[in-house]
Amino acid sequence: FSMRLGLALTPRRYRAFVATQFELFNTGLSTVRTGRTLASALLLSFLAYGVDAVGYWLLGSSFGFDVEPFGYLLVVAVGNLAVALPLSIAGIGPFEFFVQQSLTAMGVSSSVALAYALLLHALTLVFVSVAGLASLWSNLAKRPRAEVR
């Protein structure tokens, strides 16, 4: 029903594209049709957000923030949503702005919240970049080399 309604509301020239996107979305959803798979995905998602929140809390504690530990779940969610916006490379800018604003709403001064956001994003980007390069190097090392004649 929702697909037919969505297609009916879509201009004619975009209908084929939107229909393809609906099909891809449905294909993606089909991977979590069983309760066990869905439960595993939810559990791993909550675990990942929890680990992120603990890391954010540890960094916030080192800055001397008086923010409740569960407040960092908001910071994690806001930061992840900001990075999802395709506004800049690696979310630089939107991440810092929204993390700063969420911390400011919880009583942290604006300048200190910005410093926190900058350091947090830098640490995250460095970790992800180093881990990615290490994984790439590891995978390249496992590949058999072509013989040179």
Side-chain angles (χ1 to χ4, degrees), residues 82-99:
V83 171
L85 296 172
L87 299 175
S88 65
I89 296 172
I92 297 171
F95 178 87
E96 287 78 11
F97 174 78
F98 287 109
V99 167

Side-chain angles (χ1 to χ4, degrees), residues 7 40 48 65 76 102 104 123:
L7 287 175
S40 296
F65 292 170
V76 168
S102 62
T104 302
L123 290 171

Side-chain angles (χ1 to χ4, degrees), residues 33-57:
R33 281 204 174 132
T34 65
R36 184 180 181 136
T37 305
L38 179 60
S40 296
L42 289 173
L43 178 67
L44 289 173
S45 294
F46 285 127
L47 184 64
Y49 278 107
V51 168
D52 276 353
V54 168
Y56 283 35
W57 172 69

Side-chain angles (χ1 to χ4, degrees), residues 44-60 69 71-81 83 95 116 120 124 127-128:
L44 289 173
S45 294
F46 285 127
L47 184 64
Y49 278 107
V51 168
D52 276 353
V54 168
Y56 283 35
W57 172 69
L58 289 171
L59 186 63
Y72 289 100
L73 284 172
L74 171 68
V75 180
V76 168
V78 167
N80 286 342
L81 288 173
V83 171
F95 178 87
Y116 171 88
L120 177 64
T124 302
F127 173 77
V128 168

Side-chain angles (χ1 to χ4, degrees), residues 92-139:
I92 297 171
F95 178 87
E96 287 78 11
F97 174 78
F98 287 109
V99 167
Q100 176 194 28
Q101 294 305 306
S102 62
L103 286 170
T104 302
M106 290 185 273
V108 177
S109 77
S110 181
S111 59
V112 177
L114 179 58
Y116 171 88
L118 287 167
L119 179 60
L120 177 64
H121 204 188
L123 290 171
T124 302
L125 290 176
V126 166
F127 173 77
V128 168
S129 297
V130 169
L133 287 172
S135 176
L136 176 66
W137 179 77
S138 172
N139 286 331

